[in-house]
């Protein structure tokens, strides 16, 4: 009976209440998301303009499809899209969480953050319609780009720095909106394409969505947290600020220049918490140019306030593009035999 205005009002009020209850004083995204009826900020798209074509993968709620959207812009007759679905038989909680994801993504408008084109929330199954990012996730891409036996490098350092700049620019947009992502990592970035001209975008807001959920404490046992990407103040005290994302970005740089290694290979989350809180840090990627390694070290300062802003990180990465020592460095020159023993 979602067409019944009374029941919609109750739903909206419940949603609003859940939202306020889920938010604590440690949650820096509070202002960002406390609009009275967040679902009214979403653009409802007529379902008949949408065609689902093939399954892309499984999301937290339901399947994600590739599809097309007809006649939405003046000059484009058909747009390729990704459609996240929420099965008809979902709980009220899942409905709220699913809507929250759409609300979050819709707040951003940046080349390096996935765009939400609209939603179909008036009937079941509910859909979130996103721009299609055909290149898959950054971590898989990096791993697939490792030189095989013939020592042929598929990616240049310049391309890796450009991808790093893409993610840093997306992060700066979140920073400007005072939004803390909480799960910046290569696995959560998607690429427009695998070929030349690829653009990386921050595409998975699952962790930011989940902290608004009444289910959060069930969902986020310590085993669910991305400990290897988190700074000590986050895993010890639960403090999340943009500087948390800066630390995680440093780990993403490490993933980038190891071509997708698992950080702290062979160590468990609890090893890593102990190691990092007593001052231990990831080793620089093999033969990593000093200028790049320095950026990672800055991101991993144990004092959050001293870590650079994303604008500063962008400046430092830009300088890498002028530095022949960086541009001529060998890509992903790691001990691949050793890497084999740390399969994850
Ligand atoms: P959830 O956060 O709900 O778990 P994901 O965002 O991880 O869901 O999506 C599940 C799958 O759908 C992943 O394999 C992901 O690569 C794919 N996917 C998600 N969004 C897009 C998109 N915009 N374009 C292409 N594929 C996508």
């Amino acid at each position: 009976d979602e067409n019944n205005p009374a029941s919609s009002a109750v739903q909206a009020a419940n949603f609003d209440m859940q939202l306020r209850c889920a938010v604590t004083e440690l949650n820096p995204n509070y202002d960002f998301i406390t609009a009275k009826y967040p679902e009214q900020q979403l653009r409802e798209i007529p379902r008949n303009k949408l065609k689902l074509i093939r399954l892309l993968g499984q999301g937290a709620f339901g399947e994600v499809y590739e599809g097309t959207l007809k006649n939405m812009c003046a000059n484009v007759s058909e747009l390729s899209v990704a459609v996240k679905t929420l099965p008809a038989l979902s709980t009220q909680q899942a409905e709220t969480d699913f809507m929250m994801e759409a609300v979050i993504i819709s707040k951003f408008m940046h080349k390096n953050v996935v765009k939400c084109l609209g939603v179909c929330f008036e009937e079941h199954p509910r859909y979130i319609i996103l721009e299609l990012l055909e290149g898959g996730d950054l971590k898989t891409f990096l791993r697939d780009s490792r030189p095989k036996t013939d020592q042929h490098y598929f990616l240049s350092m310049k391309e890796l720095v450009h991808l790093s700049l893409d993610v840093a620019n997306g992060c700066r947009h979140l920073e400007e909106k005072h939004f803390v992502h909480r799960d910046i990592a290569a696995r959560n970035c998607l690429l427009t394409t695998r070929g030349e001209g690829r653009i990386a975008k921050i595409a998975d807001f699952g962790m930011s969505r989940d902290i608004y959920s009444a289910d959060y404490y069930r969902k986020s046992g310590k085993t669910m947290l991305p400990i290897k990407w988190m700074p000590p103040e986050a895993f010890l005290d639960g403090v999340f600020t943009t500087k948390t994302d800066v630390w995680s970005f440093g780990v993403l740089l490490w993933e980038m220049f190891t071509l997708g290694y698992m950080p702290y290979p062979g160590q468990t989350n609890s090893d890593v918490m102990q190691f990092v809180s007593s001052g231990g840090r990831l080793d620089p990627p093999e033969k990593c140019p000093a200028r790049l390694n320095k950026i990672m070290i800055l991101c991993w300062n144990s004092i959050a306030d001293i870590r650079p802003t994303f604008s500063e990180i962008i400046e430092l990465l830009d300088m890498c593009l002028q530095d022949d020592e960086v541009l001529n460095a060998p890509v992903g020159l790691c001990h691949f035999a050793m890497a084999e023993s740390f399969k994850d």
Side-chain angles (χ1 to χ4, degrees):
D1 62 352
E2 66 263 6
N3 294 327
N4 171 351
S7 109
S8 314
V10 170
Q11 257 179 35
N14 276 341
F15 178 66
D16 204 40
M17 198 175 70
Q18 268 181 20
L19 202 58
R20 282 163 211 285
C21 294
V23 167
T24 72
E25 75 272 24
L26 284 179
N27 180 351
N29 292 338
Y30 182 80
D31 290 343
F32 181 85
I33 208 92
T34 44
K36 192 105 183 101
Y37 295 111
E39 70 278 20
Q40 287 175 2
Q41 303 161 7
L42 298 171
R43 178 184 188 196
E44 183 73 25
I45 286 180
R47 200 169 280 258
N48 61 8
K49 291 194 181 285
L50 198 63
K51 198 162 91 195
L52 304 193
I53 297 171
R54 71 182 179 99
L55 188 65
L56 285 171
Q58 184 66 39
F61 299 101
E63 282 143 354
V64 182
Y65 290 88
E66 179 180 334
T68 54
L69 187 57
K70 265 201 290 201
N71 307 325
M72 289 304 288
C73 328
N75 303 321
V76 187
S77 65
E78 226 176 46
L79 201 61
S80 294
V81 293
V83 182
K84 286 193 157 197
T85 65
L86 179 74
L89 287 175
S90 296
T91 61
Q92 185 61 48
Q93 186 62 54
E95 293 250 350
T96 307
D97 295 353
F98 190 69
M99 184 202 293
M100 181 54 78
E101 180 163 338
V103 169
I104 291 173
I105 299 175
S106 299
K107 295 279 181 182
F108 304 115
M109 187 53 73
H110 191 273
K111 167 175 168 249
N112 301 113
V113 181
V114 68
K115 281 195 184 56
C116 178
L117 304 170
V119 298
C120 300
F121 277 0
E122 283 177 357
E123 287 166 50
H124 293 286
R126 313 242 194 259
Y127 295 149
I128 298 175
I129 303 153
L130 302 172
E131 71 175 303
L132 180 68
L133 296 170
E134 290 179 276
D137 76 276
L138 176 60
K139 178 162 173 132
T140 306
F141 173 73
L142 291 168
R143 297 180 78 119
D144 290 350
S145 306
R146 288 177 182 174
K148 307 283 178 317
T149 46
D150 60 359
Q151 292 298 303
H152 171 72
Y153 297 102
F154 298 103
L155 279 174
S156 65
M157 282 301 270
K158 190 172 170 194
E159 288 173 293
L160 289 177
V161 176
H162 274 295
L163 285 173
S164 309
L165 271 164
D166 282 345
V167 182
N169 275 298
C171 287
R172 176 165 65 181
H173 183 67
L174 307 189
E175 180 181 38
E176 282 165 0
K177 297 257 176 188
H178 304 290
F179 185 83
V180 182
H181 183 280
R182 294 175 178 239
D183 199 7
I184 295 294
R187 63 181 170 276
N188 290 332
C189 300
L190 296 181
L191 300 172
T192 49
T193 162
R194 289 191 147 219
E196 266 177 52
R198 69 189 76 79
I199 298 173
K201 308 200 182 208
I202 301 168
D204 190 319
F205 288 81
M207 189 64 75
S208 353
R209 173 198 67 216
D210 288 348
I211 65 153
Y212 294 106
S213 172
D215 267 359
Y216 177 58
Y217 291 99
R218 191 172 56 73
K219 277 185 194 164
S220 66
K222 277 237 150 112
T223 53
M224 303 283 287
L225 292 173
I227 297 288
K228 291 182 170 188
W229 283 259
M230 285 162 69
E233 78 273 6
F235 60 67
L236 294 176
D237 307 319
V239 175
F240 289 84
T241 65
T242 289
K243 299 298 188 182
T244 319
D245 287 349
V246 169
W247 177 293
S248 312
F249 180 80
V251 180
L252 180 143
L253 282 182
W254 189 92
E255 297 183 272
M256 191 78 81
F257 294 96
T258 56
L259 295 180
Y261 263 36
M262 172 58 103
Y264 312 94
Q267 289 184 261
T268 64
N269 281 347
S270 102
D271 294 341
V272 171
M273 285 195 271
Q274 202 146 48
F275 177 68
V276 169
S277 44
S278 53
R281 295 294 181 267
L282 284 162
D283 288 329
E286 189 91 353
K287 300 261 163 65
C288 183
R291 199 184 275 281
L292 268 173
N293 190 41
K294 184 137 173 260
I295 306 176
M296 298 178 215
I297 302 290
L298 292 172
C299 294
W300 301 329
N301 198 302
S302 54
I303 304 168
D305 284 345
I306 298 179
R307 291 173 208 148
T309 62
F310 280 107
S311 295
E312 288 163 345
I313 291 172
I314 289 164
E315 257 177 60
L316 294 169
L317 284 169
D318 271 332
M319 287 199 283
C320 290
L321 289 175
Q322 324 284 323
D323 182 344
D324 284 341
E325 196 207 329
V326 175
L327 297 180
N328 298 329
V331 172
L333 189 72
C334 304
H335 298 298
F336 283 97
M338 182 182 88
E340 286 304 298
S341 63
F342 292 123
K343 280 214 172 101
D344 48 79

